[in-house]
């Protein structure tokens, strides 16, 4: 878990998209998980069609089991690819290995598994909503509020900060589980995450209609993106202070660094100015993965300029530290994390209106045109951000062709061409003016 300095900061109105919470993750709390079968009966969350008579649709199980990859996460561990990964890592089986199950299933200790619990359900309801032991009976009452359920151990998924921390616990990793460079080297796909896009892809089994808005806070695409980026930066900065960076190995954990600076990098086509914040960084430095941190800077420009300046200064210091010493990386990450936490706190208190959205969008496009996303991971994140902000601003139709083109360009990291990317951004900018 992230150290959270706001835990005692008092109660903020949840209507402002509450951001100050640090609930234990579903696998960390003590309640029993009763299993997907317990949620899935046809009179509960297993309706075929959305039910109009209740607050919630009750077809969540059907959406999850038919269209959500989380229901197949365990099965994936039985695939040929997983077998190959397991063999390379010297594991007997992927589907019995804790390091795989911790992300691909609800791998809680035996004593927390209720009668209906099945590991084979993969990432089931309670892997996100928390063990239902103490709320299963009471949450069905229409008059029980979400807050009351949360008090009984339901995970606060409706709080965007907690939601981001939940997704990132598997989609980036944390102190308990991490897809290391060894796992990547054995063939695991690189992990990449953007909250708003992934929420849409999942797909969602909740409708943010009028009824929902009465019961729970909702955030715009842009604000969801912003909290997701900040949470991802927090996750990275947290990991940069932990054992993976300080371990006494020849190299620190390579998955904390920018993959493409080693992979896919030519020794002949010198492109040294690949990144923002690089003015004082020495040639040949291995850059720390800072894609989310760079987005946090763009967000900070709309929240508090002082925070933005501090983030720019420290992000550069972080990259310089990567050529100095591990203890320096730890120290700078520590400073950065407290500033990013302040950014998260301040963002919760403001609305991102049309003018802020537009400024963020043009910042991203202009940065891209100036070459800030010559690195692939920066480009991949920029494309997702640009699309969702344009959708948020209802300018999707006039710019669709250019957005589709940007997506095509980041489909395959090995075919990514920074100069073409800049051309397309220029065309996109023209459609918006
Ligand atoms: C307990 C771990 C865990 C949590 C928590 C989790 N995920 Fe996942 N997610 C996975 C795994 C594992 C997969 C890959 C499943 C597979 O294909 O085998 C996945 C796949 C996905 C995919 C499909 C990606 C693709 O390439 O098709 C989306 C979208 C997604 N997750 C979104 C989310 C969102 C949004 C959240 C938070 C609300 C979240 N996940 C929380 C583990 C998790
Ligand atoms: C830190 C969490 C984490 C760990 C640890 C982890 N995975 Fe994954 N894995 C994921 C997520 C998240 C995805 C989905 C990535 C995406 O599509 O964005 C994934 C995707 C995969 C895929 C590709 C699935 C597909 O649909 O194409 C395979 C195969 C896989 N994992 C196998 C393994 C094996 C085997 C292990 C153990 C050695 C393992 N994973 C450990 C989180 C993890
Ligand atoms: C990968 C994480 C994840 C998994 C797995 C998951 N959910 Fe959700 N669920 C969410 C998120 C995020 C929300 C939206 C925030 C909220 O309303 O609390 C949500 C919302 C809901 C809601 C509230 C809808 C409303 O209108 O208030 C219900 C009911 C629900 N989920 C049931 C289920 C059931 C049943 C399952 C299993 C079949 C399941 N969920 C699996 C993440 C997940
Ligand atoms: C500091 C340099 C460096 C960074 C950063 C780095 N790698 Fe690697 N990677 C290597 C080296 C060296 C190898 C071993 C190559 C060999 O076997 O010859 C390797 C091997 C791999 C392999 C196996 C390739 C093969 O052909 O067997 C994969 C996949 C991989 N890395 C993925 C990643 C991902 C994903 C990231 C970022 C999360 C990453 N790497 C970050 C240097 C790096």
């Amino acid at each position: 878990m992230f150290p959270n300095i706001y835990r005692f900061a008092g109660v903020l109105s949840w209507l402002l998209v509450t951001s100050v919470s640090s609930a234990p993750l579903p696998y960390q709390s003590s309640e029993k998980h009763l299993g997907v079968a317990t949620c899935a009966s046809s009179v509960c969350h297993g309706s075929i069609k959305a039910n109009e008579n209740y607050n919630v649709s009750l077809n969540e199980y059907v959406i999850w089991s038919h269209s959500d990859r989380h229901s197949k996460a365990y099965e994936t561990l039985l695939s040929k690819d997983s077998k190959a990964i397991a063999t390379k890592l010297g594991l007997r089986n992927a589907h019995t290995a804790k390091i795989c199950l911790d992300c691909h299933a609800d791998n809680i200790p035996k004593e927390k598994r209720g009668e209906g619990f099945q590991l084979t359900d993969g990432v089931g309801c309670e892997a996100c909503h928390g063990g239902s032991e103490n709320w299963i009976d009471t949450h069905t009452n229409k008059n029980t509020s979400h807050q009351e359920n949360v008090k009984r151990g339901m995970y606060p998924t409706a709080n965007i900060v907690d939601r981001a921390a939940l997704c990132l616990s598997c989609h980036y990793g944390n102190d308990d589980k991490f897809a290391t460079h060894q796992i990547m080297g054995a063939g695991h796909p690189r992990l990449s995450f953007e909250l708003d896009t992934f929420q849409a892809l999942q797909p969602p089994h909740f409708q943010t209609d009028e009824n929902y808005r009465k019961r729970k806070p909702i955030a715009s695409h842009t604000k969801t993106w912003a909290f997701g980026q900040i949470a991802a930066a927090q996750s990275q900065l947290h990991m940069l202070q932990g054992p993976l960076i300080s371990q006494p190995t020849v190299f620190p954990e390579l998955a904390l660094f920018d993959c493409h600076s080693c992979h896919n990098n030519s020794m002949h086509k010198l492109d040294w100015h690949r990144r923002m914040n690089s003015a004082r960084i020495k040639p040949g430095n291995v850059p720390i993965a800072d894609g989310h941190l760079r987005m946090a800077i763009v967000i900070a420009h709309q929240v508090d300029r002082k925070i933005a300046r501090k983030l720019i200064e420290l992000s550069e210091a972080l990259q310089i530290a990567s050529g100095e010493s591990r203890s320096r990386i730890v120290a700078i990450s520590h400073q950065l994390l407290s500033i990013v936490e302040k950014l998260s706190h301040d963002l919760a208190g403001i609305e991102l209106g049309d003018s802020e959205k537009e400024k963020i969008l043009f910042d991203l496009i202009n940065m891209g045109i100036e070459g800030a996303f010559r690195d692939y991971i920066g480009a991949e994140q920029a494309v997702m951000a640009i699309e969702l902000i344009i959708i948020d601003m209802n300018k999707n139709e006039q710019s669709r062709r250019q957005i589709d083109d940007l997506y095509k360009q980041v489909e395959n990291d090995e075919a990514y061409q920074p100069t073409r990317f800049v051309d397309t951004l220029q065309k996109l900018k023209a459609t918006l003016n």
Side-chain angles (χ1 to χ4, degrees):
M1 286 297 292
F2 315 126
N4 192 318
I5 56 173
Y6 301 113
R7 200 172 315 182
F8 306 109
V11 186
L12 267 183
S13 159
W14 58 259
L15 285 169
L16 266 180
V17 187
T18 350
S19 84
V20 278
S21 173
S22 62
L25 290 163
Y27 71 89
Q28 292 169 324
S29 57
S30 56
E31 291 87 9
K32 268 196 178 147
H33 294 214
L34 305 185
V36 171
T38 315
C39 320
S41 94
S42 60
V43 291
C44 299
H45 296 286
S47 270
I48 305 289
K49 283 210 231 105
N51 187 319
E52 302 286 318
N53 300 324
Y54 293 87
N55 284 333
V56 309
S57 305
L58 294 181
N59 61 350
E60 296 83 9
Y61 170 75
V62 175
I63 296 177
W64 173 83
S65 63
H66 288 188
S67 328
D68 187 332
R69 288 294 309 169
H70 293 120
S71 64
K72 309 290 180 298
Y74 176 90
E75 267 168 64
T76 291
L77 299 182
L78 300 165
S79 71
K80 241 169 71 196
D81 287 348
S82 286
K83 285 199 177 111
I85 295 173
T87 307
K88 289 205 190 81
L89 293 173
L91 300 169
R92 186 188 286 256
N93 288 302
H95 67 279
T96 51
K98 177 171 160 47
I99 65 170
C100 308
L101 288 167
D102 280 351
C103 291
H104 283 262
D106 192 10
N107 194 27
I108 43 170
K110 298 264 174 342
E111 65 276 11
K112 286 204 292 186
R113 299 180 184 180
E115 254 174 55
F117 180 92
Q118 306 246 20
L119 198 59
T120 53
D121 285 334
V123 180
C125 318
E126 289 162 293
C128 288
H129 291 293
S132 63
E133 179 179 23
N134 297 331
W135 52 261
I136 188 82
D137 291 333
T138 47
H139 86 294
T140 53
N141 185 330
K142 237 182 168 169
N143 298 321
T144 307
S145 70
H146 182 60
Q147 274 74 9
E148 287 168 88
N149 292 326
V150 169
K151 270 196 207 122
R152 294 194 186 100
M154 190 181 268
Y155 186 78
T157 42
N159 178 318
I160 192 108
V161 169
D162 288 308
R163 190 188 306 173
L166 169 70
C167 308
L168 284 161
S169 68
C170 298
H171 284 267
Y172 177 73
N174 62 15
D175 287 337
D176 298 330
K177 43 190 177 179
F178 194 75
T180 56
H181 189 252
Q182 207 175 67
I183 297 180
M184 302 285 169
H188 196 280
R190 179 177 61 85
L191 296 184
S192 141
F193 188 75
E194 190 285 292
L195 181 58
D196 191 67
T197 307
F198 272 58
Q199 208 165 272
L201 282 175
Q202 192 183 349
H205 48 261
F206 56 97
Q207 290 175 333
T208 48
D209 54 14
E210 210 181 310
N211 174 301
Y212 187 96
R213 285 159 202 252
K214 275 191 208 140
R215 296 179 288 115
K216 292 173 174 177
I218 64 148
S220 65
H221 292 297
T222 308
K223 206 154 184 185
T224 303
W225 165 78
F227 275 116
Q229 292 299 325
I230 290 172
Q234 283 175 303
S235 299
Q236 290 184 328
L237 292 167
H238 178 76
M239 296 310 279
L240 282 169
Q241 298 174 59
L244 292 179
I245 199 82
S246 341
Q247 62 199 4
T249 46
V250 175
F251 301 106
E253 173 54 50
L254 294 183
L256 300 170
F257 293 81
D258 177 2
C259 316
H260 296 88
S261 62
C262 295
H263 298 286
N264 257 10
N265 208 349
S266 166
M267 283 194 282
H268 304 290
K269 283 184 268 156
L270 295 182
D271 183 12
W272 190 59
H273 290 287
R274 271 176 302 128
R275 47 197 41 252
M276 196 165 99
N277 313 328
S278 62
R280 294 190 297 126
I281 297 165
K282 295 211 177 81
N285 213 34
V286 184
I288 290 170
D290 67 352
H292 300 295
L293 197 51
R294 283 186 277 158
M295 294 296 171
I297 294 172
V298 176
I299 296 158
H301 277 301
Q302 302 311 319
V303 178
D304 182 340
R305 300 239 149 210
K306 265 206 286 207
I307 294 185
R309 271 199 301 276
K310 198 77 197 150
L311 285 178
I312 292 173
E313 186 192 306
L314 284 171
S315 305
E316 191 183 27
L318 182 66
Q319 295 303 358
I320 294 170
S322 136
E324 291 173 352
S325 71
R326 299 184 195 196
S327 58
R328 186 90 186 122
I329 295 178
V330 173
I332 303 278
S333 302
H334 183 75
Q335 290 178 40
L336 266 166
L337 184 57
S338 69
I339 310 240
V340 174
E341 275 169 353
K342 173 145 177 36
L343 175 63
S344 174
H345 176 264
D346 290 358
L347 177 65
I350 64 162
E351 230 5 279
L352 292 178
D354 282 346
S355 114
E356 286 80 16
K357 286 174 193 166
E358 191 171 300
K359 283 191 200 127
I360 293 176
L361 177 63
F362 280 98
D363 273 0
L364 289 170
I365 293 175
N366 290 330
M367 278 164 61
I369 290 173
E370 284 160 22
F373 305 126
R374 286 181 12 204
D375 65 306
Y376 173 79
I377 292 178
E380 179 186 51
Q381 284 292 334
V383 172
M384 289 189 273
I386 286 169
E387 182 191 34
L388 67 91
I389 300 171
I390 287 180
I391 290 176
D392 225 3
M393 291 170 56
N394 287 319
K395 302 209 164 168
N396 186 20
E397 261 165 47
Q398 72 202 62
S399 308
R400 195 68 246 168
R401 251 198 35 219
Q402 285 70 31
I403 297 174
D404 288 345
D405 196 11
L406 287 177
Y407 260 107
K408 247 188 246 127
Q409 291 182 40
V410 293
E411 244 166 36
N412 176 355
D413 51 356
E414 305 213 353
Y416 175 60
Q417 293 174 15
T419 45
R420 214 182 127 205
F421 192 71
V422 170
D423 285 347
T424 314
L425 283 176
Q426 262 153 350
K427 287 189 192 130
L428 173 72
K429 192 175 171 184
T431 69
L432 291 164
N433 284 331

